[in-house]
């Protein structure tokens, strides 16, 4: 007999339909449906590849132009070509779309002001990263016209994340040789510094930094958990999907960045509760955690020891991890004085790259603000930092409220991960990484367009959604 490709993880719910199947328009023809599914899948894979390549440099081009930009543009082209004639003219610009465009425009204007009225150099990489984010965001907004489309896009993004995770695991298992190979074609000054100094290595894969990889994988794991909740309506969860989440989580552990690891664990536990996981599913989760521990137990133990046993010399309680105490010192001694020096427009988006050149504010010595909000305040001013926080909180709130609509409660799984990313961005610079920003905004675009499809197809009585 042929071995089954899936196994039961949940209680039987055969009388229920998943969000995707329940919301399929009955008038949609088979050919049209297949074409739209194919286009949505391709957009998901290509847009996911763009997020996976943000740390890869292009031969012959400056490091400011990474490989993700042309791939993101390709995703947008595919979405435009796949859209029915006239659909782009009828596309309704939502409040969140306008808010995102306003934020990107404000960043560009402030950067131009900083260059014009100070000695800052224009940060082309910052603007290009934001252009890439807009490309994948609107690609998803255009191609998703039903819950089925959104499911296919997220499946594509999930598939594109697997090679990134595999490379991250191989990097840690392969030792210095793999990392030395990676620094040749990725933009990874942090990894290069660790190699030069002989410090313990951390997985960076194609993204160039362990923090970026941690945030990227946290959202990728959340997408996989969303797919599990969707599949659970048919009682059988595909084994490749569970295996994929396992690979992503092992790679997450290989970053040794505890905050994103915690976000991933919370997301997976919430998913287990949602699908009423049974013994074999619980065994799968334990096996995933066990595999990660067996592969990296020494490195994880060393990292935990360094975080919890360092002497407290800053007046903070000893139970606060060393990494947080160190960040508090940077904020007090460097970041806040730099913000107060130019609170309205900041010092330019590339201010931290100018420390070595001696053109950055004298208070800045460590090449990272260790906080997304602090980074924006130092680079572009307090007003834009507040605008960024408001934009991201509004986006997450849209994901959260959409999860209350009939048939799309599985989006709550993604919403939990996005809330976690916002919280840990207070002491990590996640959204300055193009990979995390792309993953975040692709998910938000899928949720927003799914909500639009529900409203426009009359599947609920919520009226016009703003």
């Amino acid at each position: 007999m042929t071995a089954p490709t899936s196994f039961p993880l949940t209680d039987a719910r055969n009388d229920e339909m998943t969000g995707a199947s329940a919301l399929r328009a009955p008038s949609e023809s088979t050919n049209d449906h297949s074409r739209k599914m194919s286009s949505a899948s391709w957009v998901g894979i290509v847009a996911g590849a763009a997020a996976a390549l943000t740390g890869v440099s292009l031969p012959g081009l400056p490091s400011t132009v990474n490989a993700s930009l042309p791939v993101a543009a390709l995703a947008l082209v595919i979405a435009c070509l796949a859209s029915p004639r006239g659909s782009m003219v009828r596309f309704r610009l939502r409040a969140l779309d306008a808010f995102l465009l306003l934020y990107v425009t404000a960043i560009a204007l402030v950067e131009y002001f900083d260059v014009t009225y100070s000695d800052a150099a224009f940060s082309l990489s910052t603007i290009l990263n934001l252009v890439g984010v807009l490309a994948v965001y609107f690609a998803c907004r255009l191609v998703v016209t039903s819950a089925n489309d959104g499911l296919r896009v997220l499946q594509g993004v999930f598939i594109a994340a697997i090679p990134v995770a595999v490379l991250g695991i191989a990097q840690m298992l392969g030792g210095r040789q793999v990392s030395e190979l990676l620094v040749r074609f990725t933009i990874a000054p942090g990894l290069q510094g660790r190699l030069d100094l002989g410090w313990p290595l951390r997985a960076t894969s194609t993204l160039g930094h362990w923090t970026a990889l941690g945030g990227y994988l946290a959202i990728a794991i959340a997408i996989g958990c969303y797919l599990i909740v969707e599949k659970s309506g048919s009682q059988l969860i595909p084994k490749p999907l569970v295996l994929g989440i396992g690979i992503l989580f092992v790679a997450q552990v290989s970053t040794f960045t505890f905050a994103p690891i915690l976000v991933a664990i919370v997301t997976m536990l919430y998913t287990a509760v949602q699908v009423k996981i049974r013994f074999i599913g619980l065994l799968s989760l334990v096996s995933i955690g066990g595999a990660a521990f067996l592969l990296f137990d020494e490195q994880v133990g060393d990292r935990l020891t360094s975080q919890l046993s360092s002497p407290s010399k800053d007046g903070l309680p000893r139970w606060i991890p060393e990494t947080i105490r160190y960040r508090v010192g940077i904020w007090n001694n460097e970041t806040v004085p730099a913000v107060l020096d130019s609170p309205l427009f900041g010092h330019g988006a590339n201010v931290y790259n100018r420390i070595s050149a001696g053109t950055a504010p004298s208070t800045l010595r460590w090449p990272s603000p260790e906080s997304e909000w602090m980074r924006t305040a130092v680079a572009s001013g307090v007003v834009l930092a507040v605008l960024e926080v408001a934009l991201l909180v509004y986006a997450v709130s849209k994901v959260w409220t959409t999860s209350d609509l009939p048939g799309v409660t599985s989006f709550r799984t993604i919403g939990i991960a996005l809330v976690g990313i916002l919280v840990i961005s207070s002491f990590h610079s996640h959204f300055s990484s193009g990979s995390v920003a792309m993953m975040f905004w692709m998910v938000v675009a899928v949720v927003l367009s799914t909500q639009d499809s529900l409203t426009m197809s009359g599947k609920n009585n919520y009226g016009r959604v703003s």
Side-chain angles (χ1 to χ4, degrees):
M1 295 178 64
T2 304
T5 59
S6 56
F7 48 77
L9 289 182
T10 65
D11 295 330
R13 289 191 288 168
N14 293 330
D15 57 329
E16 297 180 8
M17 300 176 68
T18 64
S21 59
L23 299 174
R24 183 178 300 165
S27 61
E28 190 174 49
S29 69
T30 302
N31 290 338
D32 288 345
H33 174 68
S34 299
R35 179 183 61 80
K36 289 171 66 180
M37 290 298 95
S38 176
S39 301
S41 297
W42 276 111
V43 167
I45 291 173
V46 175
L53 296 173
T54 53
V56 177
S57 56
L58 290 171
L61 292 178
S63 60
T64 53
V65 184
N66 60 54
S68 71
L69 185 60
V71 181
L74 177 60
L76 182 58
V77 169
I78 294 173
C80 292
L81 294 177
S83 300
R85 181 178 299 177
S87 62
M88 284 183 283
V89 176
R90 297 190 300 270
F91 176 77
R92 183 179 64 169
L93 193 70
R94 295 280 297 275
L96 185 57
D97 302 330
F99 199 168
L100 177 59
L101 289 170
L102 172 65
Y103 173 73
V104 173
T105 302
I107 286 286
L109 290 176
V110 169
E111 185 66 7
Y112 175 78
F113 179 90
D114 286 335
V115 171
T116 303
Y117 295 98
S118 71
D119 57 356
F122 190 83
S123 179
L124 181 61
S125 61
T126 298
I127 305 304
L128 290 180
N129 280 340
L130 291 173
V131 170
V133 169
L134 290 178
V136 296
Y137 174 80
F138 282 104
C140 295
R141 289 283 283 126
L142 288 171
V143 82
V144 175
T145 58
S146 69
N148 282 304
D149 295 335
L151 181 67
R152 294 292 183 179
V153 167
L154 294 181
Q155 282 179 337
V157 175
F158 179 79
I159 290 171
I162 300 299
V164 178
V166 170
L167 182 57
I169 296 170
Q171 180 183 359
M172 296 309 300
L173 296 179
R176 290 179 59 92
Q177 291 80 4
V178 179
S179 292
E180 288 170 352
L181 177 63
L182 279 173
V183 296
R184 297 178 186 176
F185 65 87
T186 61
I187 307 164
L191 178 60
Q192 182 67 70
R194 284 182 171 267
L195 287 169
D196 294 341
L197 296 170
W199 290 358
L201 299 178
R202 300 164 74 174
T204 59
S205 191
T206 57
L207 306 187
H209 200 279
W210 48 91
T211 301
L213 182 59
Y216 169 90
L217 290 172
I219 299 178
I221 289 170
I223 292 173
C225 290
Y226 156 79
L227 296 175
I228 278 187
V229 177
E230 283 291 315
K231 301 290 185 182
S232 66
S234 62
Q235 188 184 5
L236 297 178
I237 307 294
K239 286 182 179 179
L241 178 56
V242 178
L243 177 61
I245 293 176
I247 292 172
L248 293 175
F249 182 74
V250 173
Q252 180 72 283
V253 173
S254 72
T255 67
F256 310 123
T257 308
F258 292 132
I261 292 173
L262 181 60
V263 171
I265 291 174
V266 171
T267 304
M268 293 168 66
L269 290 176
Y270 175 82
T271 304
V273 173
Q274 283 292 100
V275 299
K276 300 179 177 63
I277 198 164
R278 299 165 84 178
F279 173 75
I280 192 168
L282 180 62
L283 184 61
S284 300
L285 286 177
V286 172
S287 299
I288 290 171
F293 177 78
L294 290 175
L295 286 173
F296 307 116
D297 62 325
E298 184 177 349
Q299 296 97 320
V300 172
D302 290 344
R303 177 111 175 107
L304 279 172
T305 301
S306 68
Q307 292 299 309
L308 300 178
S309 62
S310 298
S312 178
K313 300 178 181 179
D314 43 29
L316 295 175
R318 288 195 52 145
W319 57 266
I320 296 179
E322 186 274 339
T323 185
I324 299 298
R325 298 204 304 268
Y326 187 73
R327 283 168 165 80
V328 171
I330 290 175
W331 297 337
N332 288 337
N333 300 323
E334 300 185 25
T335 315
V336 172
V339 171
L340 296 177
D341 187 47
S342 181
L344 191 57
F345 295 106
H347 301 276
N350 68 344
V351 59
Y352 283 93
N353 295 329
R354 302 190 338 252
I355 292 178
S356 59
T359 57
S362 58
T363 56
L364 297 180
R365 295 177 296 276
W366 183 250
S368 173
E370 304 296 350
S371 166
E372 177 66 29
W373 327 129
M374 292 287 191
R375 176 183 291 275
T376 304
V378 171
S380 304
V382 175
V383 174
L384 267 180
V386 173
L387 185 65
E388 179 185 30
V389 173
L391 170 63
L392 294 174
V393 169
Y394 181 53
V396 172
S397 72
K398 298 302 290 183
V399 175
W400 202 262
T401 55
T402 299
S403 299
D404 294 328
L405 298 180
V408 291
T409 52
S410 51
F411 282 139
R412 183 61 52 82
T413 301
I414 293 176
I416 284 179
L418 298 189
V419 169
I421 290 294
L422 281 191
V423 172
I424 66 177
S425 289
S426 297
F427 45 89
H428 283 170
S429 298
H430 278 300
F431 289 94
S432 60
S433 162
S435 57
V436 178
M438 283 186 175
M439 293 289 279
F440 179 93
W441 285 108
M442 282 191 289
V443 168
V444 171
V446 167
V447 174
L448 200 63
S449 291
T450 299
Q451 184 184 33
D452 279 347
S453 71
L454 291 173
T455 303
M456 296 175 68
S457 63
K459 294 295 181 182
N460 61 55
N461 298 317
Y462 290 85
R464 183 179 178 87
V465 183
S466 60

